[in-house]
Amino acid sequence: METQILDIGEDSLSAAKNILEEDGLVAFPTETVYGLGADAFNGEAVKKIFEVKGRPQDNPLIVHVHKDYDIERIVCDIPSYSYKLAERYLPGPLTMVFKSRGRISPVVSCGLDTIGIRVPSHEGGQRFLKFVDMPIAAPSANISKHVSPVTAEHVYADFCGKIPLILNGGKCSGGIESTVLDCTGEVPCVLRSGLVTREMIAEVAGDCTVFVPKAGERVRSPGMKYKHYSPNCRTMLFEYERLEEAAAEYKKERAAGSRAYIMCDDGCAKRLLDKIPAEHMLLLGNSGEEIASNLYFKLREGERVADIIIAIAPEDRGGVMVGVMNRLTKACGG
Ligand code: TXA
Ligand code: MG
């Protein structure tokens, strides 16, 4: 199969719609990462997502809709705090889980009676969703367990020859996947951290909990139990306080002939300037938002140039950094 990368316009959107109507898959941009989409009403099409990704059969997909779509057609029991959250944060990187009306294909939710709904803010992504005017089931457009894609080229690297069309919307600005929020209870509960933080949700909803699985307890967001986001090279992760050890590790690897690279934020890089040449650094930036935006891009760059990525965790741990650290830890083997 030939895989086309096309800019978003009338022709490419018509092509995308045709593909979706014939049970096919289309990759499309969102503000977080690229998605690999299928018609969410069409079980046969949705099955193909699991096949091409190599995704475990018990990890449900989320459903993407345009901003004028009436989600009450597909989910019910929407609590009042969700309307407030939607008012404030949608379109945007927040996925809300509601009770399903049973109309979306059961393949999407892997047998759960709930559905995660996402309204992305990316202009090209919105245009696509509006044009096809159907709910689109989509996980991140990467081979299962690989680093999520933030450019059309990243999607191509994983799915060349396996999907017909990638809609090109440039580099995703957000950089880590949406916050997944369980909205089936009285108090919303974060199942996966992201750019819409627990604090931002609590500010609007009055309260917000974070799901932390206890040993033996069922994982409520099934995707969280799998190894994830891993580049195709060796990785190590050091705490911020242990940057000297990271530098020593770099030196040892280089001496052994390995292409070792240090991945860290800009502040940390300054402290290492006398030990690590700038061209062997994968810089993540300064603020939490900047680091989130660069993380997958730099991990993908790293796997192309490095035998080993030696990452140093940023010092700041609040807000957006909760989600960043979750990804970084998993990328480096948990
Ligand atoms: O930003 C994003 O969310 C990206 C873009 C493409 O929209 N999508 C994405 O999808 O990250 P995916 O499939 O890689 O992650 C969806 C997460 C998984 O951890 C999954 O287990 C969880 O959402 N999830 C999906 N449906 C759920 C449900 N009904 N209840 C609880 N968790 C659910
Ligand atoms: Mg994913």
Side-chain angles (χ1 to χ4, degrees), residues 28 30 32-36 53 55 58-62 64 93 95 97-98 108-109 112-116 118 120 138-142 148 176-180 191-192 220-224 228-229:
F28 64 99
T30 80
T32 58
V33 301
Y34 275 71
L36 180 62
K53 269 187 73 94
R55 184 177 175 102
D58 64 347
N59 189 7
L61 307 177
I62 58 178
H64 299 65
T95 297
V97 174
F98 304 113
V108 171
S109 49
L112 297 177
D113 61 357
T114 53
I115 300 271
R118 165 140 157 73
S140 49
N142 52 279
S148 295
I176 61 171
E177 299 85 348
S178 62
T179 305
V180 178
L191 303 180
R192 177 175 74 183
R220 267 162 65 187
S221 187
M224 299 302 283
H228 259 313
Y229 322 115

Side-chain angles (χ1 to χ4, degrees), residues 152-168:
E153 290 73 26
H154 292 164
V155 182
Y156 190 83
D158 279 18
F159 292 117
C160 172
K162 295 187 182 136
I163 60 171
L165 177 60
I166 302 166
L167 293 172
N168 188 359

Side-chain angles (χ1 to χ4, degrees), residues 168-310:
N168 188 359
K171 181 172 180 269
C172 306
S173 57
I176 61 171
E177 299 85 348
S178 62
T179 305
V180 178
L181 188 70
D182 183 347
C183 297
T184 61
E186 255 165 57
V187 174
C189 175
V190 174
L191 303 180
R192 177 175 74 183
S193 306
L195 294 171
V196 177
T197 63
R198 192 200 73 82
E199 292 77 12
M200 289 162 71
I201 294 163
E203 191 191 313
V204 173
D207 197 2
C208 178
T209 57
V210 177
F211 181 67
V212 186
K214 297 183 195 77
E217 193 177 351
R218 204 175 128 250
V219 182
R220 267 162 65 187
S221 187
M224 299 302 283
K225 73 180 182 221
Y226 294 106
K227 180 177 150 77
H228 259 313
Y229 322 115
S230 306
N232 297 324
C233 65
R234 285 186 293 136
T235 49
M236 287 181 96
L237 177 61
F238 286 87
E239 286 298 331
Y240 184 79
E241 298 74 37
R242 294 174 57 200
L243 87 172
E244 296 296 337
E245 284 168 61
E249 195 64 35
Y250 163 87
K251 222 173 148 185
K252 196 180 97 198
E253 288 284 347
R254 282 275 162 184
S258 273
R259 292 173 301 165
Y261 281 71
I262 293 275
M263 191 166 89
C264 63
D265 64 22
D266 291 3
C268 180
K270 279 201 193 98
R271 293 180 53 193
L272 288 171
L273 264 186
D274 54 331
K275 296 192 181 75
I276 318 283
E279 65 270 25
H280 293 168
M281 285 190 191
L282 299 160
L283 292 185
L284 295 173
N286 278 311
S287 66
E289 282 74 14
E290 232 182 313
I291 294 171
S293 164
N294 289 324
L295 182 67
Y296 291 152
F297 192 83
K298 290 292 172 179
L299 284 170
R300 289 249 180 183
E301 183 185 326
E303 70 179 4
R304 280 203 318 274
V305 298
D307 297 316
I308 179 165
I309 300 173
I310 301 168

